Amino acid sequence: MTTADERLQTIWEGCLRNERKSQEQFYKLFASRMLAVCMRYTTDKDEAQDILQEGFIKIFRNINNYRNEGSLEGWVRRIMVHAAISRYRKLKPMVLVEDFSTDTEMPVSKAYNENGLEAKDLMKLIQKLPKNYRSVFNMYAIEGYSHQEIGSSLGMSELLSRTTLHRARTALKEMIGKLTRNEELRYA
């Protein structure tokens, strides 16, 4: 019986030899986790799946660039984030602050209770942020990038990255506040 690490190593070695079956197994092993990463950078599942596909294409084209430094999953995740950023830069212009309104309605299940906001509901709120806010917030708060790395990746200054993160957090706080006020009114 092989361990999960041995199985992954066997699949990885097959991918290095450009074996289709190994590539398919690698895809199946990581696709659902990486789709979740891609969903953080878009509001549309179809677009997230496109990013996922682009990311796996980049992985298989650049497979020899993995230097066994850090985890393989971390390397795959980083490629997915860069695929999302690349798509963002190609397809969408920066959303201006004026384009964003917190008045938009969105369905949220049990948005707020005595234990606070549920993770899936917080993700829905993050997805409502303008694309530039969402990208900076995800890269900093979830992926752990520095403002210098974010600025370099998104073509903005480090100061703009910091400012955008602050605005994203402020917008999230406003949306959470609005949800909690609506819940309090509903149960009053």
Side-chain angles (χ1 to χ4, degrees), residues 121-150:
D121 295 325
L122 181 58
M123 290 308 297
K124 287 180 183 178
L125 293 176
I126 291 169
Q127 288 179 327
K128 292 299 288 182
L129 290 171
K131 203 153 188 80
N132 59 332
Y133 285 19
R134 184 173 58 242
S135 293
V136 171
F137 182 85
N138 282 325
M139 290 179 75
Y140 184 84
I142 297 174
E143 302 296 338
Y145 284 78
S146 70
H147 286 290
Q148 184 178 10
E149 292 170 313
I150 294 167

Side-chain angles (χ1 to χ4, degrees), residues 11-18 23 26 57-67 72 75 79:
I11 292 169
W12 182 249
E13 289 169 0
C15 289
L16 287 169
R17 292 186 300 271
N18 203 26
Q23 290 173 339
F26 188 83
I57 289 169
K58 287 179 182 182
I59 288 167
F60 295 132
R61 283 188 181 153
N62 299 293
I63 201 159
N64 292 317
N65 291 345
Y66 177 64
R67 295 174 290 215
L72 179 59
W75 182 74
I79 289 175

Side-chain angles (χ1 to χ4, degrees), residues 50-61:
D50 289 345
I51 293 168
L52 182 74
Q53 295 304 316
E54 290 169 16
F56 274 105
I57 289 169
K58 287 179 182 182
I59 288 167
F60 295 132
R61 283 188 181 153

Side-chain angles (χ1 to χ4, degrees), residues 48-113:
Q49 289 173 331
D50 289 345
I51 293 168
L52 182 74
Q53 295 304 316
E54 290 169 16
F56 274 105
I57 289 169
K58 287 179 182 182
I59 288 167
F60 295 132
R61 283 188 181 153
N62 299 293
I63 201 159
N64 292 317
N65 291 345
Y66 177 64
R67 295 174 290 215
N68 291 318
E69 296 172 2
S71 75
L72 179 59
E73 183 171 348
W75 182 74
V76 170
R77 176 184 297 271
R78 195 163 189 88
I79 289 175
M80 291 300 165
V81 169
H82 284 283
I85 291 167
S86 177
R87 186 173 184 88
Y88 163 78
R89 291 173 84 184
K90 283 183 209 170
L91 299 179
K92 304 289 183 189
M94 288 293 232
V95 177
L96 299 175
V97 174
E98 293 82 26
D99 293 339
F100 177 61
S101 170
T102 57
D103 293 333
T104 56
E105 292 296 320
M106 64 178 286
V108 178
S109 64
K110 292 191 226 170
Y112 189 82
N113 60 35

